[in-house]
């Protein structure tokens, strides 16, 4: 089965897109920017209003830029607003059906590429969604509150966050083996970590995000766009280039994937209770998910319930998230107190605000 990427953008969007620059418009132009420079940092003014926290979370907008996204994210410039703390827990978990016609998923999407992976241009998604009245309405809420995080409402999955690239680098450097592994991209957002695992021949890859809009508008399109052979050898290593406008879709790859939205405790219940065939994960990959200590309990329990007893978690995080209060050291302390997992720092990225890759495993495994 083959399909053609459909980039039928409405006229208005197309006009507005011109302001994004040449590379935003075409998938094939994205091919030219396969270096890690496909993203840039988010830098917003910090309001002095009470109750508005600032933090050094650094999301990379999926807009075409040329600079290195990681190097671009210096802590002093990367502050974004986050609205007042409120516990998440209102979003019930559900599984998302994969549409039969995969090409529909890519309609009105503009793709870019980074490190050999496709991802949707977030500005175009935002434009499309902000014109629609949408059930979750996270785009309008995020724009109107000038925030990349609205606790309990929107948890940041529309953007690609810096540590995703750190973890991708680490997985490559460590030559992580995915063959026959069941993998969870936890708090997936764009889903690049899960897509990497899929490309490296994982047996199954599950994607989870808090917001269903993120799964439908970002994660699913990204996975679909990467499940092509680029007109080549039947693998998915090369995305379609300028010469290969028709991408050959590989349905078997999509059949390895499942998509879920909802709060972590709810997700865990859905997998354990509503899913007789569920087998625990060999690998859980998670990036920039420990910014809020209020979520640690749910995160810890979800991992302990869903990870195979010999499984491993690879977690990427900044040292500290100003304003929200989470970070690597406070998370490790929490884990230590619970006494279920052991943690090991496997990589430190010492640029600006230090970032870490942490490995977690059960203390008692076979
Ligand atoms: C800052 S975003 C990071 C997205 C992506 N991993 C990345 O690095 O680009 C944090 C992600 O964690 C997930 N998340 C945060 N808190 C959550 C919660 N309490 N329940 C479920 N998911 C949550 C959201 O889905 C969100 O996409």
């Amino acid at each position: 089965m083959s399909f053609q990427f459909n980039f039928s953008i409405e006229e208005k969007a197309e006009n507005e897109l011109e302001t994004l620059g040449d590379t935003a418009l075409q998938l094939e132009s994205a091919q030219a920017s396969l270096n890690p420079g496909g993203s840039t940092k988010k830098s917003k003014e910090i309001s002095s209003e009470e109750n508005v926290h600032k933090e050094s979370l650094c999301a990379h907008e999926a807009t075409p830029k040329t600079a290195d996204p990681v190097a671009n994210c210096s802590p002093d410039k990367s502050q974004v607003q986050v609205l007042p703390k409120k516990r998440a827990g209102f979003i019930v978990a559900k599984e998302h059906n994969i549409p039969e016609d995969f090409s529909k998923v890519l309609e009105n999407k503009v793709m870019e590429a980074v490190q050999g992976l496709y991802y949707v241009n977030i500005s175009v998604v935002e434009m499309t969604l902000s014109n629609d009245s949408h059930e979750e309405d996270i785009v309008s809420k995020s724009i109107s509150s000038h925030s990349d995080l609205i606790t309990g409402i929107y948890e940041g999955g529309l953007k690609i966050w810096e540590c995703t690239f750190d973890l991708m680098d680490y997985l490559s450097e460590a030559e992580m083996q995915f063959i026959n592994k069941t993998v969870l991209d936890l708090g997936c957002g764009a889903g690049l970590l899960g897509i990497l695992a899929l490309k490296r021949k994982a047996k199954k890859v599950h994607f989870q995000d808090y917001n269903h809009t993120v799964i439908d508008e970002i994660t699913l399109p990204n996975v679909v766009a990467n499940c092509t052979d680029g007109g080549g050898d039947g693998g998915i290593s090369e995305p379609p280039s300028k010469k290969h406008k028709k991408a050959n879709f590989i349905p078997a790859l999509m059949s390895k994937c499942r998509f879920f939205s909802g709060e972590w405790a709810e997700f865990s219940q859905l997998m354990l209770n509503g899913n007789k065939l569920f087998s625990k994960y060999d690998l859980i990959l998670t990036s920039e998910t420990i910014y809020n200590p209020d979520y640690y309990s749910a995160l810890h329990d979800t991992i302990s319930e869903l990870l195979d007893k010999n499984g491993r978690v690879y977690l990427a995080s900044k040292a500290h998230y100003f304003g929200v209060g989470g970070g690597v050291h406070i998370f490790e302390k929490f884990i230590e107190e619970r006494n279920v997992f052991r943690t090991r720092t496997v990589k430190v990225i010492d640029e600006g605000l230090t970032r870490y890759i942490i490995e977690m495993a059960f203390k008692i495994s076979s």
Side-chain angles (χ1 to χ4, degrees), residues 322-339:
F322 298 101
V324 214
V328 165
H329 306 300
I330 180 173
F331 182 70
E332 282 185 317
K333 190 161 176 282
F334 181 93
I335 295 291
E336 213 174 286
E337 280 167 13
R338 288 291 183 100
N339 202 26

Side-chain angles (χ1 to χ4, degrees), residues 95 182-186 203-208 258 260 264 267-284 301-309 362:
E95 178 159 9
T182 57
V183 180
L184 171 64
D185 186 342
L186 187 68
K203 187 162 97 186
K204 288 180 201 166
V205 183
H206 292 179
F207 297 85
Q208 175 277 335
R258 291 172 69 183
F260 303 88
W264 284 320
F267 168 64
S268 173
Q269 287 316 299
L270 177 72
M271 299 314 281
L272 295 172
N273 301 336
N275 208 322
K276 289 196 182 83
L277 298 177
F278 175 68
S279 60
K280 295 197 176 189
Y281 299 109
D282 300 308
L283 282 172
I284 296 181
D301 293 352
T302 298
I303 292 173
S304 68
E305 283 162 3
L306 301 185
L307 185 70
D308 182 80
K309 65 180 191 318
F362 282 111

Side-chain angles (χ1 to χ4, degrees), residues 221-252:
N222 286 352
V223 176
V224 166
N226 284 285
C227 283
T228 60
D229 66 1
D233 57 7
I236 53 166
S237 53
E238 291 299 324
S241 69
K242 219 168 194 164
K243 290 178 191 155
H244 298 115
K245 279 195 171 176
K246 272 203 169 171
N248 292 321
F249 189 74
I250 308 173

Side-chain angles (χ1 to χ4, degrees), residues 142-186:
S142 167
I143 292 170
S144 65
S145 62
H146 304 290
S147 175
D148 279 328
L149 287 175
I150 308 173
T151 306
I153 294 171
Y154 165 54
E155 294 292 346
L158 291 170
K159 319 285 182 202
I160 303 175
W161 296 70
E162 183 177 35
C163 293
T164 279
F165 298 107
D166 293 339
L167 189 45
M168 284 170 67
D169 289 344
Y170 172 74
L171 295 171
S172 296
E173 289 156 16
E175 299 180 359
M176 190 68 58
Q177 293 305 305
F178 292 99
I179 296 173
N180 280 330
K181 299 270 167 67
T182 57
V183 180
L184 171 64
D185 186 342
L186 187 68

Side-chain angles (χ1 to χ4, degrees), residues 14-226:
E14 213 162 15
N15 291 338
E16 288 182 46
L17 253 180
E18 281 170 15
T19 62
L20 292 173
D22 294 337
T23 54
L25 291 171
Q26 297 293 334
L27 175 61
E28 45 271 44
S29 65
Q31 173 73 9
S33 61
L34 281 175
N35 63 356
S39 309
T40 187
K41 70 180 186 300
K42 183 108 182 160
S43 178
K44 289 183 176 173
E45 287 296 311
I46 305 299
S47 159
S48 59
E49 281 171 35
E50 255 185 24
N51 288 335
V52 176
H53 303 273
K54 60 180 180 178
E55 62 172 335
S56 68
L57 294 171
C58 180
H60 294 282
E61 277 188 89
T63 49
K65 298 290 181 302
T66 50
D68 178 344
V70 174
N72 239 348
C73 186
S74 60
D76 51 337
K77 294 181 189 162
S78 65
Q79 292 164 330
V80 295
Q81 292 176 342
V82 59
L83 289 188
K85 286 188 181 186
K86 189 172 78 175
R87 263 194 67 72
F90 312 110
I91 298 199
V92 172
K94 68 169 185 181
E95 178 159 9
H96 292 237
N97 292 327
I98 301 171
E100 276 178 28
D101 182 356
F102 301 120
S103 61
K104 285 247 181 286
V105 175
L106 295 173
E107 252 173 25
N108 295 329
K109 298 285 188 282
V110 172
M111 307 307 294
E112 297 188 52
V114 65
Q115 298 191 6
L117 303 182
Y118 281 135
Y119 65 95
V120 294
N121 180 303
I122 179 61
S123 302
V124 177
V125 173
E126 283 182 347
M127 236 183 298
T128 323
L129 290 184
S130 57
N131 292 335
D132 284 357
S133 77
H134 210 264
E135 193 198 319
E136 241 183 356
D137 214 13
I138 54 175
V139 171
S140 308
K141 285 173 185 162
S142 167
I143 292 170
S144 65
S145 62
H146 304 290
S147 175
D148 279 328
L149 287 175
I150 308 173
T151 306
I153 294 171
Y154 165 54
E155 294 292 346
L158 291 170
K159 319 285 182 202
I160 303 175
W161 296 70
E162 183 177 35
C163 293
T164 279
F165 298 107
D166 293 339
L167 189 45
M168 284 170 67
D169 289 344
Y170 172 74
L171 295 171
S172 296
E173 289 156 16
E175 299 180 359
M176 190 68 58
Q177 293 305 305
F178 292 99
I179 296 173
N180 280 330
K181 299 270 167 67
T182 57
V183 180
L184 171 64
D185 186 342
L186 187 68
C188 61
L192 297 188
L193 298 170
I195 292 169
L196 184 85
L198 189 65
K199 290 184 70 155
R200 302 251 177 103
K201 299 188 169 41
K203 187 162 97 186
K204 288 180 201 166
V205 183
H206 292 179
F207 297 85
Q208 175 277 335
D209 197 90
Y210 188 76
N211 294 105
H212 64 76
T213 308
V214 171
I215 293 289
D216 288 337
E217 299 295 331
I218 307 282
T219 324
L220 243 166
N222 286 352
V223 176
V224 166
N226 284 285

